[in-house]
Amino acid sequence: MAKPINERELVLGILMEVTEKGQYSHIVLREVLGKYQYLDKKERAFITRVTEGTLEHMIELDYILDRFSKVKVKKMKPVIRNILRSAVYQLKYMDTVPDSAVCNEAVKLAVKKGFAGLRGFVNGVLRSTAAGLDGVAYPKDPTERLSVQYSMPRWILELWLKSYDRQTVETMLREFQKEKPLMIRGRIGQEPDLQKTGIREKAGSECVPAETESLCRELESEGIHVTPHPYLSYAFYISGQDYLGRLKSFQEGRFSVQDASSMLVCEAAAPRTGDTVIDVCAAPGGKAVHMAEMLRGTGSVEARDLTAYKVGLIQENIDRSGLTNIRAAQMDARVVDAASVGKADIVIADLPCSGLGVLGKKTDLKYKTTKESISSLVELQREILSVAKTYVRPGGILMYSTCTINPAENMDNVHWFLEQNPEFSMKDIRENLCEELREDVKEQGCLQLLPGIHKSDGFFLACMRKER
């Protein structure tokens, strides 16, 4: 009897949405896993691995297929192309799945999708690939070899090689393809009595030890493996989870999914008791909620974003956190909000970017990004920074951050901003970071994190103070 839900068919559906309709893989995959959360944990893990793996290795998979198929990948029908891609991924990277099963299931899926006439083609290509996979020769040109081996568009490699040496680039490429545990931020303990003192002191960011220990014990009791992160006392790696929404500690807001790099934005900003904070591009709200926690019930955080959908994501995280010193608002970061001018102690500008630092999590971004889109993003980033600066009061902080490793979107923007706005200067952030990161701080207030070099995503942050 055929299974009512076929994991490979779900994988194919996701691949079609991403490669043919331009949808984002992490969003489509999350929606599918949410819809079919009743599936066995192993089935859900299979869907996740084959989907993410096929997209992550797509250039390499196409290169391999072109060596065994008379019809080149670009000429194939989209459904057949994606069936073959996911099948070759299983042949090359999943030893637990027998080659015969991969071939047979791919043929069945092709027939089910209305391509019975191509069953022989699918079967022949996959059996030839399985037999000759170990003998595939990769390009001799060094950059082209990297492009195929790590499935990275050549133009991105050429862009990185202008700023980083080849060894660093290959280290990042390897890191992107590693399977990594999920990173979470434990809820920071609250001390509401601080609000009554009226004392302007650093709000702090350490978890109450008992709360941290309690969270770890609860996660471990639910079968989750927990490992501390070296940069922050409240950051942890977790693995062994299936559906986060089922975890009581997640439902209660005792932790949030967030990379350590993103947590460092609030650490570097060093909020003080009672601060007013505006996050101009906040969705899904991780940094804003983190900042509200660091304020320990004092001050206020306004988390803004452009669309009702994004504001809804922020509100979900606020509701789960239970915090009362934060609100979500729908606003366009490119348009000055007159009521906010000169009011904020801290403005967070974590702006839209190419995302080239998080390709290990959002694997399809490398296929969607173009040289032209990066140029447009730089213009947008500068436009938003020119608005965000107006909200900073004298003595206040502007935190600029991106999840990319492209200097044009990072240091180049900082230098441009400081030239255009002499009332701002770099603020030294070294004392707010762990010792391991202090030597990597540039110009006192800038930090570029690189995958594989640092224990985080690729990420950039800059802290600038308004002097007058």
Side-chain angles (χ1 to χ4, degrees):
M1 181 178 177
K3 292 171 62 176
I5 300 297
N6 183 293
E7 305 98 283
R8 288 177 172 83
E9 186 172 2
L10 292 179
V11 170
L12 175 62
I14 298 170
L15 294 178
M16 292 297 293
E17 287 291 315
V18 174
T19 63
E20 302 301 320
K21 297 182 181 180
Q23 300 299 312
Y24 288 98
S25 61
H26 65 288
I27 295 175
V28 181
L29 180 59
R30 183 176 65 224
E31 290 174 348
V32 169
L33 293 178
K35 181 178 180 180
Y36 295 100
Q37 60 184 272
Y38 58 81
L39 288 175
D40 181 80
K41 182 178 179 180
K42 289 184 178 179
E43 294 173 324
R44 291 162 53 81
F46 178 88
I47 293 168
T48 300
R49 181 172 177 185
V50 177
T51 298
E52 292 181 344
T54 300
L55 291 168
E56 187 169 56
H57 294 271
M58 196 159 67
I59 291 176
E60 181 187 35
L61 300 175
D62 288 357
Y63 179 86
I64 292 170
L65 278 167
D66 278 345
R67 267 119 202 96
F68 295 99
S69 172
K70 292 181 180 179
V71 179
K72 299 305 179 185
V73 171
K74 290 182 179 180
K75 298 290 186 180
M76 293 176 185
K77 295 182 183 299
V79 169
I80 298 300
R81 179 164 56 228
N82 282 309
I83 288 175
L84 290 175
R85 281 171 170 165
S86 61
V88 174
Y89 173 76
Q90 294 168 66
L91 290 174
K92 184 167 177 62
Y93 290 104
M94 297 180 70
D95 294 337
T96 56
V97 185
D99 291 356
S100 58
V102 173
C103 297
N104 292 337
E105 291 299 323
V107 170
K108 289 179 185 177
L109 187 54
V111 172
K112 186 174 182 180
K113 291 299 178 181
F115 295 94
L118 294 176
R119 64 197 308 167
F121 171 75
V122 171
N123 185 62
V125 169
L126 290 179
R127 293 196 181 277
S128 296
T129 302
L133 195 55
D134 292 340
V136 173
Y138 286 77
K140 292 182 179 180
D141 175 76
T143 304
E144 191 63 24
R145 179 188 63 79
L146 288 178
S147 177
V148 172
Q149 183 178 349
Y150 295 103
S151 288
M152 188 63 64
R154 183 174 178 123
W155 76 266
I156 294 179
L157 293 176
E158 291 171 344
L159 178 69
W160 289 345
L161 288 168
K162 291 177 182 178
S163 303
Y164 308 104
D165 60 66
R166 188 170 293 271
Q167 182 178 349
T168 298
V169 169
E170 189 156 9
T171 297
M172 293 192 292
L173 292 171
R174 281 197 301 269
E175 185 68 17
F176 283 138
Q177 293 195 341
K178 286 182 181 177
E179 188 173 351
K180 293 177 284 294
L182 190 66
M183 203 177 298
I184 64 169
R185 171 176 52 79
R187 182 170 61 194
I188 296 170
Q190 301 295 294
E191 296 177 11
D193 288 346
L194 283 175
Q195 193 171 17
K196 300 175 183 178
T197 68
I199 299 173
R200 288 282 297 170
E201 56 183 294
K202 185 176 178 180
S205 59
E206 295 299 306
C207 280
V208 176
E211 183 169 350
T212 304
E213 293 172 7
S214 174
L215 171 62
C216 292
R217 283 196 304 269
E218 182 168 343
L219 287 170
E220 287 168 350
S221 73
E222 295 182 281
I224 309 301
H225 181 68
V226 183
T227 306
H229 190 279
Y231 293 168
L232 297 158
S233 64
Y234 51 87
F236 302 93
Y237 295 110
I238 64 171
S239 58
Q241 70 278 3
D242 179 18
Y243 183 59
L244 282 181
R246 292 176 182 162
L247 298 178
K248 182 181 177 183
S249 52
F250 181 76
Q251 295 169 358
E252 294 175 346
R254 296 185 63 196
F255 75 86
S256 299
V257 176
Q258 189 177 24
D259 191 75
S261 59
S262 184
M263 301 179 209
L264 291 173
V265 170
C266 295
E267 286 289 328
R272 302 180 74 85
T273 304
D275 274 352
T276 296
V277 181
I278 298 174
D279 188 341
V280 298
C281 295
K287 296 177 191 65
V289 170
H290 185 193
M291 187 67 79
E293 287 180 0
M294 290 181 73
L295 289 172
R296 299 180 184 272
T298 73
S300 66
V301 179
E302 184 163 272
R304 302 173 175 178
D305 222 304
L306 181 61
T307 67
Y309 171 74
K310 289 187 174 183
V311 172
L313 294 177
I314 299 169
Q315 191 62 52
E316 284 179 15
N317 279 309
I318 293 174
D319 293 343
R320 195 170 54 79
S321 75
L323 296 166
T324 58
N325 61 337
I326 179 173
R327 66 182 291 269
Q330 185 175 351
M331 291 192 187
D332 187 339
R334 299 168 297 179
V335 179
V336 174
D337 171 37
S340 300
V341 172
K343 299 294 178 63
D345 297 287
I346 299 173
V347 173
I348 301 174
D350 183 63
L351 301 189
C353 69
S354 58
L356 296 181
V358 292
L359 297 180
K361 295 176 179 176
K362 301 178 180 180
T363 54
D364 52 315
L365 282 181
K366 57 189 176 184
Y367 308 121
K368 299 180 188 295
T369 305
T370 64
K371 293 179 184 179
E372 294 72 26
S373 67
I374 288 180
S375 297
S376 297
L377 282 166
V378 170
E379 292 178 8
L380 176 62
Q381 290 154 358
R382 294 183 178 187
E383 182 181 6
I384 295 176
L385 284 172
S386 297
V387 172
K389 71 173 185 181
T390 66
Y391 304 146
V392 184
R393 67 165 182 79
I397 297 296
L398 173 62
M399 286 298 309
Y400 174 54
S401 61
T402 72
C403 57
T404 189
I405 55 179
N406 175 29
E409 300 175 75
N410 297 337
M411 286 301 297
D412 290 359
N413 271 347
V414 170
H415 292 154
W416 168 85
F417 181 84
L418 293 176
E419 288 174 4
Q420 297 293 315
N421 302 279
E423 70 274 23
F424 282 85
S425 62
M426 299 307 305
K427 177 182 179 295
D428 195 338
I429 60 173
R430 286 171 291 188
E431 67 176 11
N432 299 322
L433 303 177
C434 64
E435 190 171 347
E436 188 174 345
L437 293 175
R438 289 174 187 170
E439 290 186 0
D440 294 320
V441 173
K442 306 299 182 186
E443 300 181 22
Q444 295 189 318
C446 298
L447 178 64
Q448 176 68 73
L449 299 167
L450 302 175
I453 306 299
H454 300 97
K455 299 176 181 68
S456 71
D457 288 336
F459 197 87
F460 175 82
L461 62 87
C463 185
M464 296 171 280
R465 184 198 299 274
K466 186 176 182 179
E467 302 297 344
R468 58 183 186 276

